[in-house]
Amino acid sequence: MWLLNPLESVGPLQFGMSADEVRAALPEAFELKHFPAEPFFPDVYGLQLGFHPSVPAVYTYFNRVGRLFCVAADAAHGPRVTLDGLELTGREPAVLEDTILDLYSSGAHSVSYGPRGNPGINGVGMVLRVQDTANGVLTRPVLVGRDWADRCTDDWEGAIPECEWLGRQWRVHNGSDIWPPPGHVTKWPSGWTPPF
């Protein structure tokens, strides 16, 4: 279980850490892949980490100056991230969405939805994504630190890397629950491929 301390840390990982500090905070993790995370910003990169060889569990993203700004937990093999006692990882999307709406529909933080229908809470620096697993479609929390939380649910203007928006979507968007939908022409630079 990893406790989400909104805008500050996720389990042992503190936003603003260097890649070496992340590795030191997770000595039991295997570094599975180093990859470009943004098609138009090659200096924004990700590290795919696992607690077993070749089994991804955590994706960490580093900004242009090499500081941790985003963490995503794999829905099937990732740490069980909790917020105020509520487990965010590996849950049935409809159930978690109802619970989040009940808990955060009033007060300082409120749930918002990005252009592709992904729910999140900007004030907590959280977007909920979904992922296909052997047990069906389950939730995958994507979390950012304080400096990157503004509009984090917005897949056009927020800080979450482009590669995290690819794949299965929370809701059907423009007739498809996969982004980009089949036949969609992207304007990504030649040679950029998502890491998943």
Side-chain angles (χ1 to χ4, degrees), residues 77-89:
H77 305 287
R80 310 331 277 172
V81 177
T82 63
L83 171 64
D84 297 331
L86 175 63
E87 192 168 329
L88 303 172
T89 312

Side-chain angles (χ1 to χ4, degrees), residues 115-118 130 168-178:
R116 296 185 196 143
N118 297 284
V130 292
R168 178 67 85 129
Q169 298 299 302
W170 194 275
R171 299 212 189 295
V172 172
H173 174 74
N174 288 342
S176 178
D177 64 351
I178 303 293

Side-chain angles (χ1 to χ4, degrees), residues 24-121:
L26 298 172
E28 72 283 7
F30 297 89
E31 186 172 324
L32 304 177
K33 190 185 293 186
H34 181 283
F35 58 91
E38 280 284 348
F40 296 101
F41 303 103
D43 46 356
V44 175
Y45 70 94
L47 293 179
Q48 181 189 70
L49 306 168
F51 300 114
H52 302 285
S54 73
V55 180
V58 178
Y59 295 80
T60 55
Y61 296 97
F62 300 85
N63 65 12
R64 295 176 178 182
V65 294
R67 295 296 167 189
L68 180 68
F69 74 96
C70 182
V71 175
D74 185 86
H77 305 287
R80 310 331 277 172
V81 177
T82 63
L83 171 64
D84 297 331
L86 175 63
E87 192 168 329
L88 303 172
T89 312
R91 302 281 306 277
E92 184 181 323
V95 172
L96 183 57
E97 184 176 24
D98 287 345
T99 305
I100 291 279
L101 286 170
D102 287 346
L103 292 174
Y104 296 97
S105 61
S106 62
H109 304 299
S110 63
V111 176
S112 63
Y113 289 83
R116 296 185 196 143
N118 297 284
I121 305 172

